[in-house]
Amino acid sequence: MMYLGEIISLFVALLWTVTALAADGASRRIGSLTVNIFRMLLSLVFLGATLWVFTGSPVPVYADGRAWFWLSMSGLVGYVFGDYCLFNCYVLIGSRFGQLFMTLAPVFAAISGWMFLGEVLTLKEFFAMLVTLSGIGISVLVRADGEGKKHRHLELKLPLKGVLLGIGAGLGQGVGLVLSKIGMNYYESCVPADAAENFMDIMPFASTFIRAITGAVGFIGLAMLQKSLGSLSKGLRDRKAMGLVAITTFMGPFLGVSFSLMAVRYANAGVASTLMALVPALIIIPHALIYRQKVQAKEVIGTFISLVGVAMFFI
């Protein structure tokens, strides 16, 4: 089908909008680390069941050591680092601003593509970075008075920690996407010629299963270091939070991430990243309605400028 990858990318953007809103609500109730542990474990159940139905095995088949290594690295960077930053960012500054910082993902994807794949960064791409950063700046910076009008300066209207976590989330998403593409290339190269015809379509789910294993182990390790495993039982008793976790898991690590890998397979990675980065625009209205927040015009303008910058990378 023509533009299959692009259509999948738009579908992923919708999935991630729902995921962001659900994750925001769950993280505020039971904490971001607890949410991430539950969603990783649930995603393994969903993914394992899917693999069992389509391949006869609840775990990935055919993947060699190289595929496992690169996909595991992608899970470590994208899930453990990136999502840890993202979900904590939601608690501090909300999913609307958290997703705005995710427009940095294609920027970091381009940089990591240059580092890992030898892709060339052009002058246009450097300009696109500036446009993206300008859009974010318009949204999160305000003019503040100093000792007088002549001493007005710009300052963050958001907590610095939340901003840094947002940047970290974009970094994890962008680098994780490139690492997953490397892993899937290795995975595809070791699939035997006589494999079932539909396996190449299910391979993104198998790849996500590998990434999710790393994510689950990583988040449980963090909980052990922070001595917060006891919060899991408390989280289980919060039915509303667990419902939001289920939505987050099904829409995010299960469908969203798997289809994002499928989109990268069927479309140019840059185009796919651009379309999947539309979440900040899609989330503005539902987030404002749910949390009854007033949206300033400059925040909307800044969001769309940032998205223009993202698009400039690949047009």
Side-chain angles (χ1 to χ4, degrees), residues 42-314:
L42 272 175
S43 68
L44 287 173
V45 173
F46 289 149
L47 291 164
T50 302
L51 293 177
W52 200 350
V53 169
F54 287 96
T55 70
S57 171
V59 296
V61 295
Y62 307 129
D64 64 6
R66 295 174 303 175
W68 272 89
F69 172 78
W70 286 103
L71 289 169
S72 295
M73 288 298 295
S74 173
L76 185 65
V77 173
Y79 281 148
V80 181
F81 175 75
D83 283 356
Y84 179 80
C85 289
L86 182 62
F87 281 50
N88 278 286
C89 173
Y90 287 165
V91 174
L92 291 173
I93 62 177
S95 56
R96 179 162 62 90
F97 283 111
Q99 284 299 314
L100 174 63
F101 282 102
M102 292 300 282
T103 59
L104 292 172
V107 175
F108 289 119
I111 295 173
S112 57
W114 166 70
M115 293 174 62
F116 291 105
L117 302 175
E119 297 175 349
V120 177
L121 286 172
T122 66
L123 183 62
K124 183 188 74 172
E125 290 170 332
F126 279 110
F127 183 65
M129 291 183 192
L130 291 176
V131 174
T132 301
L133 291 172
S134 297
I136 294 175
I138 290 172
S139 297
V140 304
L141 294 174
V142 293
R143 286 189 175 276
D145 292 329
E147 297 177 358
K149 291 185 177 181
K150 293 183 178 180
H151 296 87
R152 299 188 75 184
H153 61 280
L154 293 175
E155 65 178 31
L156 287 170
K157 69 177 183 180
L158 301 172
L160 177 60
K161 184 178 179 181
V163 171
L164 293 177
L165 287 169
I167 294 172
L171 174 64
Q173 175 72 18
V175 177
L177 185 65
V178 172
L179 293 176
S180 67
K181 185 171 185 177
I182 296 173
M184 288 184 66
N185 286 339
Y186 281 121
Y187 199 162
E188 187 171 353
S189 68
C190 60
V191 175
D194 60 348
E197 292 182 2
N198 67 342
F199 180 77
M200 297 309 291
D201 290 326
I202 207 67
M203 189 179 71
F205 291 87
S207 299
T208 306
F209 186 96
I210 296 173
R211 298 179 76 227
I213 290 176
T214 308
V217 172
F219 283 123
I220 291 173
L222 282 175
M224 292 175 65
L225 288 174
Q226 297 180 11
K227 298 180 180 180
S228 58
L229 284 175
S231 63
L232 297 181
S233 60
K234 181 180 178 181
L236 281 172
R237 293 193 295 270
D238 190 325
R239 293 186 177 182
K240 183 174 181 179
M242 292 308 298
L244 292 171
V245 169
I247 294 172
T248 300
T249 305
F250 188 74
M251 298 290 189
F254 179 54
L255 289 183
V257 175
S258 297
F259 276 107
S260 72
L261 297 183
M262 191 180 294
V264 172
R265 181 166 177 260
Y266 287 107
N268 175 279
V271 173
S273 295
T274 301
L275 295 174
M276 289 186 286
L278 289 173
V279 179
L282 298 176
I283 203 173
I284 292 175
I285 294 177
H287 187 276
L289 292 175
I290 291 172
Y291 294 100
R292 298 177 182 179
Q293 293 179 344
K294 184 178 180 180
V295 180
Q296 296 181 0
K298 77 181 193 71
E299 294 173 356
V300 177
I301 294 171
T303 297
F304 280 94
I305 289 176
S306 184
L307 292 175
V308 168
V310 171
M312 286 175 60
F313 269 95
F314 315 108

